[in-house]
Amino acid sequence: MDRRRFLKMGISASGAMAASAFLPLVVLAKGGNQDAEMQDLLATVGYEGHPLCREHDSCVVIDPGIFARNIATLRKDMGPDVKVCVVMKSDAYGHGVENLVAEAVKARPEYIGLVENREIRKAMEWMDKAGMRATILRIAPATFYEAAESVVKGWPVEEVVGSPPQAEMLSRLALWVGKKRGRPFSIPVHINIDTGMGRMGFERVEDIKKAMALPGIKVRGIMTHFANAYDPKRGEELTREQMKLFDAKLSKLDFDDDVIIHTANSGAALRFPWTRRSMVRVGGALYGDIPTEMNPGNRYPRVARSFRSSVVWIMHDVPPGTPVGYESVYHTPKGRPVTLATVKVGYNNGVPSWAYQKGTEMLIRGKRFPVVGKTSMNMVVVDVTAQNPKDPVRLGDEVVIFGSQGDQTITLYDLEETTDVPDCEILLSIGNDNPRVVITGK
């Protein structure tokens, strides 16, 4: 078969499939009970797609039970004298605050760490319905609107302050609210001291003292953030330097005994017990998003169990040298025809554009198959020539981008190695760009 005939066959087949696939659904849409008709249709035609993701092109599978167990494990590892801030920023690291907030609040942490008001709204919606409360620590500087909405709505939020202008802004806001309500009002804050991150902390002790003395400001905590706690070579040395600088500035401040001192993120909390102080702020570890050397025996499993899609196109006997994907940067191997399968997932879903270059693989029917060609916005092509002829890849087959299928597993670390994208960035992109399906103990 020459390439021109192959391309014509592909176009013809695509048109025929589109015509036959859409007509029945249009007819069904005119009916009354569409959900019942959909179930009847799927049962009648013998739909074989995976039930977890069948309503979506792709989905991320989340297990809140793992999150709850990880919080319990952290409590045990930190000991009874260390308070815990469960960090759920970036929409719970891409897992969805609404999917995990119940487990967080029920664990009764001293704080839940959030950043944006849209995240706080999700948390408050659940807490209002459940009749439960947890104190929220906003672990980034608030805009004026964010702080004002928090105060006006009475959310249990404590703000991080790291500069004189921000402290003055919160002071003005507190004074306005106090005057409006006819009684003194203060905003609880945590003073952030910069010791090496260079992004949102006080540097001068004089500025800290002025901020702490402003009317309407109530200091609840003093903190810093470590820049190199994950560094396997110089992490301890550089973290000790930051801690030394923090303690030097701390010694020059006058604060109440009940003020919480907190410095440790996940890396520091797990590696360096001397950083734990009054409280730890742990995010990544609670989602299983930590380097393997810091997670012996998979003590903190991943909450995101898998990322799945499905096969939507199969073409057999593709001629050697056929271009695949945008820019024709990939051509099928010389000397033999191949079988290609298109998966309905792309860079819009978090699969990097150049995933094929270093051997990214996906699981179909329990076998690993390589990605070929540049990832499109909504699709990516997989070479399934090595499929089992007795159990071939079929239209609608489940595809696992990370997770387990049969006796095979592809991890986020595997994707990190083959895409040169840090696993935490892949997780955030995938989690925030795809529907999330919640399961429990499956």
Side-chain angles (χ1 to χ4, degrees):
M1 180 190 300
D2 64 28
R3 195 175 309 165
R4 183 177 302 172
R5 184 181 169 208
F6 161 74
L7 293 173
K8 286 183 178 179
M9 285 180 60
I11 293 170
S12 176
S14 298
M17 285 190 289
S20 61
F22 282 104
L23 183 57
L25 295 184
V26 171
V27 174
L28 281 174
K30 296 179 181 178
N33 190 341
Q34 296 173 19
D35 290 339
E37 287 180 313
M38 279 297 298
Q39 294 300 323
D40 183 47
L41 170 63
L42 296 176
T44 301
V45 302
Y47 174 76
E48 296 182 358
H50 197 282
L52 284 176
C53 291
R54 71 182 186 184
E55 296 180 10
H56 312 291
D57 294 339
S58 58
C59 75
V60 182
V61 180
I62 307 295
D63 190 341
I66 295 176
F67 188 62
R69 292 192 291 275
N70 285 349
I71 296 174
T73 299
L74 181 73
R75 282 283 197 193
K76 186 181 298 184
D77 289 349
M78 296 300 102
D81 299 326
V82 179
K83 295 177 173 62
V84 170
C85 174
V86 174
V87 178
M88 301 183 72
K89 64 181 180 178
S90 297
D91 208 5
Y93 283 59
H95 296 72
V97 168
E98 68 278 12
N99 296 325
L100 302 179
V101 66
E103 312 303 331
V105 175
K106 289 175 183 177
R108 299 193 179 280
E110 281 71 22
Y111 289 92
I112 291 178
L114 297 167
V115 170
E116 300 180 25
N117 278 14
R118 65 184 180 91
E119 301 166 346
I120 297 174
R121 291 187 198 103
K122 290 183 180 183
M124 292 307 304
E125 181 179 357
W126 184 88
M127 287 191 278
D128 287 341
K129 289 181 180 179
M132 301 178 70
R133 275 291 183 267
T135 305
I136 295 169
L137 174 61
R138 190 196 303 276
I139 51 178
T143 64
F144 178 81
Y145 183 91
E146 286 178 324
E149 183 182 18
S150 173
V151 167
V152 169
K153 293 185 176 179
W155 292 342
V157 175
E158 299 183 4
E159 303 286 357
V160 168
V161 176
S163 69
Q166 189 195 14
E168 292 163 5
M169 176 193 77
L170 293 178
S171 176
R172 291 195 304 272
L173 175 59
L175 291 175
W176 184 91
V177 172
K179 183 178 180 180
K180 188 77 172 178
R181 297 178 180 177
R183 60 183 184 275
F185 182 84
S186 62
I187 295 176
V189 303
H190 292 242
I191 300 295
N192 186 42
I193 299 176
D194 181 43
T195 59
M197 279 297 288
R199 61 180 188 179
M200 64 170 191
F202 286 100
E203 294 185 357
R204 291 159 38 93
V205 172
E206 294 78 9
D207 291 335
I208 300 174
K209 290 180 178 180
K210 291 178 182 177
M212 293 173 69
L214 287 171
I217 296 294
K218 172 63 178 176
V219 178
R220 291 282 176 82
I222 301 178
M223 60 180 285
T224 194
H225 192 73
F226 297 126
N228 301 283
Y230 290 94
D231 189 327
K233 296 181 178 180
R234 299 189 63 203
E236 181 170 2
E237 172 196 351
L238 296 173
T239 301
R240 284 192 183 278
E241 289 179 7
Q242 283 192 252
M243 183 63 87
K244 183 178 179 180
L245 181 57
F246 177 76
D247 285 337
K249 294 183 179 182
L250 199 65
S251 66
K252 299 176 183 178
L253 301 175
D254 183 21
F255 50 88
D256 296 337
D257 292 339
D258 62 351
V259 168
I260 299 171
I261 309 301
H262 50 108
T263 64
N265 56 3
S266 290
L270 296 180
R271 294 184 68 193
F272 313 130
W274 40 271
T275 65
R276 293 171 186 169
R277 300 300 172 96
S278 309
M279 183 173 76
V280 294
R281 306 183 306 271
V282 176
L286 299 179
Y287 305 90
D289 184 26
I290 45 175
T292 52
E293 60 270 17
M294 293 173 55
N295 194 18
N298 197 30
R299 187 166 176 79
Y300 293 91
R302 284 201 183 271
V303 177
R305 295 182 55 165
S306 63
F307 178 32
R308 312 176 190 214
S309 185
S310 60
V311 174
V312 294
W313 184 83
I314 301 172
M315 181 60 75
H316 302 278
D317 299 321
V318 179
T322 300
V324 178
Y326 281 116
E327 301 170 22
S328 301
V329 291
Y330 176 88
H331 291 72
T332 56
K334 296 180 179 179
R336 61 178 176 86
V338 298
T339 300
L340 301 179
T342 295
V343 180
K344 201 168 184 183
V345 69
Y347 61 78
N348 173 66
N349 308 95
V351 179
S353 296
W354 302 98
Y356 82 94
Q357 285 188 315
K358 289 190 174 182
T360 297
E361 296 176 317
M362 295 183 179
L363 296 175
I364 310 174
R365 292 192 169 263
K367 288 179 61 68
R368 291 173 176 261
F369 296 104
V371 171
V372 294
K374 189 176 178 182
T375 304
S376 300
M377 186 179 292
N378 307 104
M379 292 176 281
V380 67
V381 179
V382 177
D383 186 334
V384 296
T385 308
Q387 64 189 323
N388 182 350
K390 296 181 179 180
D391 187 26
V393 173
R394 297 180 176 90
L395 200 67
D397 272 353
E398 175 195 65
V399 179
V400 173
I401 297 96
F402 77 78
S404 298
Q405 191 184 67
D407 60 359
Q408 293 289 320
T409 298
I410 292 175
T411 69
L412 275 168
Y413 298 124
D414 293 332
L415 290 180
E416 178 180 64
E417 290 181 3
T418 61
T419 62
D420 291 329
V421 179
D423 70 289
C424 58
E425 293 185 21
I426 294 176
L427 180 60
L428 282 171
S429 181
I430 287 172
N432 287 323
D433 291 340
N434 295 276
R436 305 165 183 132
V437 175
V438 177
I439 62 171
T440 304
K442 295 181 181 179

